[in-house]
């Protein structure tokens, strides 16, 4: 096993092209320089990779991922995708949008109760026409996934339970391996190269950026910021990176001690906005007109802002903030902005 490999962008893209894939997302998303944010923070150059603009159903980081997961699912020629996720899941919204594009029905089994005021991602799920069910906990969710899939089968349909699709982790990592190539090319056109990436990740997307760094022999760091403290991130991230490396037929490994993922911006817990995250959402909105969200991207931006204020960067450093989407959550948390 080698520690770094020197592959060209085309060679990496050729490896990615060995995986079955559908065309669902808008790719080659813009890279936007946040000059006002830099000025207000007195910080490094900041470039925002707008992967919130991947097109389908208000966009976000799961659409590139779904191109691989749904391609894998299509081998069974499903007519219905059945998926269990959280009540306000970005992933659920993007899944329904992607399935609509493919002409598939979607059954969602969301963990939680139907709120009186349906807002955010859940509202979009309904608008997209998903058949929405609710489950009190993971156990009930699993039972409902199986029984709803059985109902589809009994009616002569062909369900695919997306939770059982083996591609989730690898698809996320491959998606952000590809995003890294796009960013490096977009910076290259401006005569620049990245020093560090910041992104909200629980180890899937960030594994892809770490792989890119090794495959390209790139001199940049991956500073992930996690929205939850439920995982052991070094083992999870390295595991996903190495599974992805194997899936692409690459001779490269990531070690646990190479993983950088900050959990100190989670605040009170997953799904609960934090003061620093909310400040970051306001700052991006008011300096750049870029809408983050208080659950994922706001907390990641809070990490970046805190590190800039600690003086970790010089003015010439090039920092890439990957906007992974999640913006419908601003409506769920409307009181925060009034
Ligand atoms: C907006 C947003 N950002 C980041 C993440 C984390 O992505 P991952 O852990 O797949 O890298 C998610 C999904 O969980 C998300 O919805």
């Amino acid at each position: 096993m080698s520690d770094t490999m020197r592959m060209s962008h085309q060679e990496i893209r050729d490896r990615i092209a060995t995986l079955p894939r559908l065309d669902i997302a808008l790719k080659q998303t813009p890279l936007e320089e946040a000059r006002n944010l830099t000025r207000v923070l007195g910080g490094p150059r900041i470039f925002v990779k707008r992967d919130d603009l991947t097109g389908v159903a208000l966009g976000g980081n799961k659409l590139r991922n779904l191109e691989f997961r749904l391609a894998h699912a299509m081998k069974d020629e499903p007519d219905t995708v059945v998926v269990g996720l959280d009540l306000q899941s970005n992933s659920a919204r993007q899944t329904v949008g992607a399935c609509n594009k493919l002409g598939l029905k979607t059954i969602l089994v969301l963990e939680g109760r139907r709120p009186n005021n349906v807002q955010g991602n859940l509202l979009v799920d309904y608008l997209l026409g998903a058949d929405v069910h609710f489950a009190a906990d993971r156990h009930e969710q699993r039972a409902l996934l199986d029984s709803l899939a059985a109902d589809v089968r009994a009616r002569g349909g062909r369900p695919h339970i997306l939770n059982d699709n083996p591609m989730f982790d690898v698809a996320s990592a491959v998606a952000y391996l590809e995003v890294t190539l796009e960013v490096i090319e977009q910076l290259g056109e401006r005569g620049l190269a990245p020093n560090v990436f910041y992104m909200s990740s629980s180890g899937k997307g960030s594994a892809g950026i770490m792989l890119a760094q090794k495959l390209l022999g790139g001199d940049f760091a991956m500073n992930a910021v996690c929205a939850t403290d439920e995982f052991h991130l070094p083992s999870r991230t390295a595991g996903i990176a190495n599974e992805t490396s194997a899936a692409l037929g690459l001779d490269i490994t990531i070690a646990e001690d190479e993983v950088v993922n900050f959990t100190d911006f989670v605040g009170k817990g997953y799904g609960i906005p934090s003061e620093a995250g909310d400040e970051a959402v306001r700052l991006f909105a008011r300096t750049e007109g870029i809408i983050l969200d208080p659950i994922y991207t706001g907390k990641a931006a809070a990490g970046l802002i805190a590190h800039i204020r600690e003086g970790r960067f010089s003015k010439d450093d090039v920092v890439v903030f990957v906007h992974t989407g999640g913006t419908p959550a601003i409506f769920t948390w409307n009181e925060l902005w009034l």
Side-chain angles (χ1 to χ4, degrees):
M1 293 275 173
S2 53
D3 196 40
T4 52
M5 253 171 141
R6 283 258 175 208
M7 286 178 82
S8 69
H9 286 210
Q10 191 53 51
E11 284 168 331
I12 296 172
R13 285 200 164 94
D14 289 345
R15 292 300 177 106
I16 294 174
T18 62
L19 300 175
R21 183 175 197 170
L22 299 165
D23 185 18
I24 298 169
L26 299 184
K27 294 170 283 285
Q28 296 289 341
T29 50
L31 183 75
E32 182 181 6
E33 182 160 15
R35 291 193 180 81
N36 297 333
L37 193 57
T38 290
R39 198 173 55 247
V40 166
L41 294 168
R45 295 184 74 172
I46 302 166
F47 291 84
V48 183
K49 176 63 170 169
R50 299 295 306 270
D51 240 37
D52 56 321
L53 302 180
T54 47
V56 180
L58 303 177
N61 66 342
K62 295 298 183 290
L63 286 164
R64 295 182 195 249
N65 163 316
L66 282 158
E67 295 191 339
F68 299 101
R69 266 193 299 158
L70 291 174
H72 185 90
M74 286 310 227
K75 286 190 275 194
D76 303 332
E77 297 183 6
D79 61 2
T80 307
V81 165
V82 188
V83 62
L85 285 158
D86 293 335
L87 186 68
Q88 281 293 350
S89 164
N90 295 307
S91 190
R93 162 180 49 85
Q94 291 165 82
T95 301
V96 188
C99 287
N100 284 359
K101 274 200 84 149
L102 299 176
L104 302 172
K105 292 192 215 83
T106 317
I107 300 176
L108 292 180
V109 183
L110 303 177
E111 192 183 347
R113 283 167 174 274
R114 187 186 194 276
N116 293 332
N117 183 19
V118 173
Q119 257 301 356
N121 285 307
L122 182 59
L123 177 65
V124 186
D125 296 339
Y126 279 108
L127 172 62
L128 292 166
D131 178 11
V132 185
H133 298 254
F134 298 90
D137 54 33
R138 293 272 158 199
H139 185 74
E140 191 184 324
Q141 186 178 51
R142 183 67 232 191
L144 257 177
L145 288 175
D146 292 330
S147 68
L148 289 163
D151 291 348
V152 173
R153 237 175 265 116
R155 289 196 302 270
R158 295 177 307 281
H160 174 86
I161 300 181
L162 201 58
N163 299 59
D164 299 336
N165 185 303
M167 288 296 291
F168 197 20
D169 293 348
V170 167
S172 295
V174 171
Y176 283 84
L177 168 59
E178 174 178 270
V179 165
T180 315
L181 301 181
E182 289 180 16
V183 168
I184 288 172
E185 289 156 8
Q186 289 166 318
L187 285 173
E189 286 162 13
R190 294 149 152 117
L192 297 171
N195 295 105
V196 60
F197 283 74
Y198 276 77
M199 182 169 75
S200 174
S201 180
S202 69
K204 299 192 293 293
S206 56
I209 298 183
M210 291 186 76
L211 276 178
Q213 191 269 338
K214 289 235 164 168
L215 294 173
L216 298 165
D219 189 18
F220 57 84
M222 173 65 232
N223 285 354
V225 184
C226 200
T228 169
D229 46 23
E230 71 183 291
F231 300 115
H232 182 256
L233 291 162
S235 58
R236 176 175 158 87
T237 312
I240 292 171
N242 296 333
E243 188 190 346
T244 306
S245 172
L248 295 173
L250 297 166
D251 185 22
I252 199 144
T253 49
I254 302 274
E256 288 189 23
D257 63 6
E258 295 175 278
V259 174
V260 179
N261 195 326
F262 297 91
T263 49
D264 31 355
F265 298 92
V266 174
K268 292 206 178 89
Y270 171 66
I272 306 169
S274 66
E275 248 174 64
D278 302 346
E279 187 216 345
V281 174
R282 271 184 221 103
L283 195 61
F284 271 65
R286 292 173 189 191
T287 54
E288 301 292 345
I290 294 176
I291 307 298
L292 303 179
D293 81 286
I295 305 303
Y296 292 97
T297 54
K299 290 181 180 179
L304 167 61
I305 291 165
H307 292 168
I308 292 173
R309 287 178 178 153
E310 281 167 20
R312 290 194 189 204
F313 304 110
S314 77
K315 289 209 180 304
D316 294 332
D317 281 340
V318 172
V319 176
V320 178
F321 179 81
V322 183
H323 189 337
T324 48
T327 45
I330 60 163
F331 302 108
T332 316
W333 296 97
N334 58 331
E335 296 285 338
L336 293 174
W337 329 116
L338 297 173

